[in-house]
Amino acid sequence: MEDDVPTPEQIEADPGLIIDKLDAWLDGFFRLIPNIAVALVLLAIFVALGLAVAFSIRRLARNRRRADLGAVVGSVIKWIVWLAGALLALTVVTPSLRPGDLIAGLGIGSVAIGFAFKDILQNLLSGILLLIRQPFQVGDQISVGTFEGTVEHIETRATLIRTYDGRRVVIPNAEVYTDAVTVNTAFAARRSQQDFPVSLHDDWSRAVEVALQAARGVDGVTADPAPDAQAQDIDSLSKIVRVRWWTEPTQKDVIATASRVRLAVEGALTGAGFTLPRRTDLHLDGRLSRDDDG
């Protein structure tokens, strides 16, 4: 066995072989220079084409007031054009590489890429669907999970909202698309309500009328739909007068008008001689209480 192991004296370096190999590589490189030049020019053309297509899509979408959709679609198409240019340039550099082989390899690789970038691709697709279907738009005020604010942008990965206290929340598009979203500004008006208690000895029907007249005169309360007041409930301490009114749907208008209604109705009731034994919470989000008939 020891006779089979070559000794240092038996190992001979052949510098000529190394030089020949390097020379062959250099010759191959120089022969490929024209192909590389053509490939670079071709790649530059596709880069410029991708940028031009993306710019055209964005401008068209901007003219149709769909700027975020144009930005997302333009970016996706730009990368597709660039990838096609890179594959074509690669076949020019190495003519032995057939386009069919590249496409087959790309198909296999796309499966691996899909698994590796599952969340990114899911958010991208969700963002495109949100922009196409438009359940809400930039500028709408929405509530997603525990977050609520104004939509700033819908990007390839996430939806950006600005909260009412001036913070930015970045929510993944897949979460926005699959979760329940409340669009507070979807319609032209939004309803709020307030319960006002009066004494058990007070005239209930008159209290309803006084409260309704006070609500009608408040700035910000819409005439159509008009406000209404109801003799809502009675307990051991008081009779409840429920006042409901409609305002502009933005959070600023809802809160400001609710404050004016609260002050106006309470002032009108006390001014008319009614006793207010207690107060209840104001429902600003428009959700109905259990005993509300709609």
Side-chain angles (χ1 to χ4, degrees), residues 21 34 37-38 66 90 104 111 133 143 146 151 153 197 220 244 260:
K21 181 63 70 176
V38 172
R66 304 288 296 274
L90 189 59
V111 176
R133 300 185 63 180
S143 175
T146 59
V151 178
H153 294 290
R244 305 188 302 184
R260 291 192 291 267

Side-chain angles (χ1 to χ4, degrees), residues 114-128:
F115 281 109
F117 298 96
K118 176 184 175 183
D119 292 339
I120 295 176
L121 296 176
Q122 186 177 10
N123 287 324
L124 173 61
L125 179 59
S126 298
I128 293 175

Side-chain angles (χ1 to χ4, degrees), residues 197-207 234-240 272-277:
V198 296
S199 173
L200 291 173
H201 304 291
D202 287 333
D203 185 344
W204 207 0
S205 61
R206 181 167 171 265
I234 187 171
D235 55 32
S236 59
L237 297 176
S238 62
K239 301 173 182 176
I240 304 299
F274 292 95
T275 302
L276 308 184

Side-chain angles (χ1 to χ4, degrees), residues 161-235:
I161 67 172
R162 178 185 176 89
T163 61
Y164 302 132
D165 57 355
R167 294 180 294 172
R168 173 174 291 172
V169 180
V170 181
I171 307 176
N173 287 329
E175 182 177 334
V176 177
Y177 189 75
T178 56
D179 201 358
V181 178
T182 302
V183 185
N184 294 327
T185 53
F187 303 105
R190 181 176 168 187
R191 195 185 71 182
S192 303
Q193 66 185 40
Q194 167 74 62
D195 289 345
F196 295 91
V198 296
S199 173
L200 291 173
H201 304 291
D202 287 333
D203 185 344
W204 207 0
S205 61
R206 181 167 171 265
V208 169
E209 183 62 28
V210 170
L212 179 58
Q213 291 299 327
R216 286 174 177 169
V218 173
D219 183 32
V221 174
T222 64
D224 185 19
D228 65 86
Q230 306 167 355
Q232 184 64 35
D233 197 6
I234 187 171
D235 55 32

Side-chain angles (χ1 to χ4, degrees), residues 25-127:
W25 286 348
L26 288 174
D27 288 342
F29 173 74
F30 285 120
R31 282 196 299 269
L32 286 176
I33 285 180
N35 292 23
I36 294 174
V38 172
L40 290 175
V41 172
L42 189 63
L43 188 60
I45 292 174
F46 272 82
V47 168
L49 179 62
L51 292 173
V53 171
F55 176 78
S56 300
I57 292 175
R58 288 171 181 166
R59 187 169 69 173
L60 179 62
R62 202 162 40 240
N63 292 338
R64 297 187 177 184
R65 298 182 180 179
R66 304 288 296 274
D68 281 347
L69 177 60
V72 172
V73 174
S75 179
V76 171
I77 293 180
K78 177 185 68 177
W79 281 102
I80 292 175
V81 173
W82 286 0
L83 180 61
L87 294 177
L88 189 58
L90 189 59
T91 60
V92 171
V93 173
T94 56
S96 60
L97 189 62
R98 294 176 298 177
D101 297 335
L102 285 176
I103 295 174
L106 184 62
I108 297 174
S110 63
V111 176
I113 293 173
F115 281 109
F117 298 96
K118 176 184 175 183
D119 292 339
I120 295 176
L121 296 176
Q122 186 177 10
N123 287 324
L124 173 61
L125 179 59
S126 298

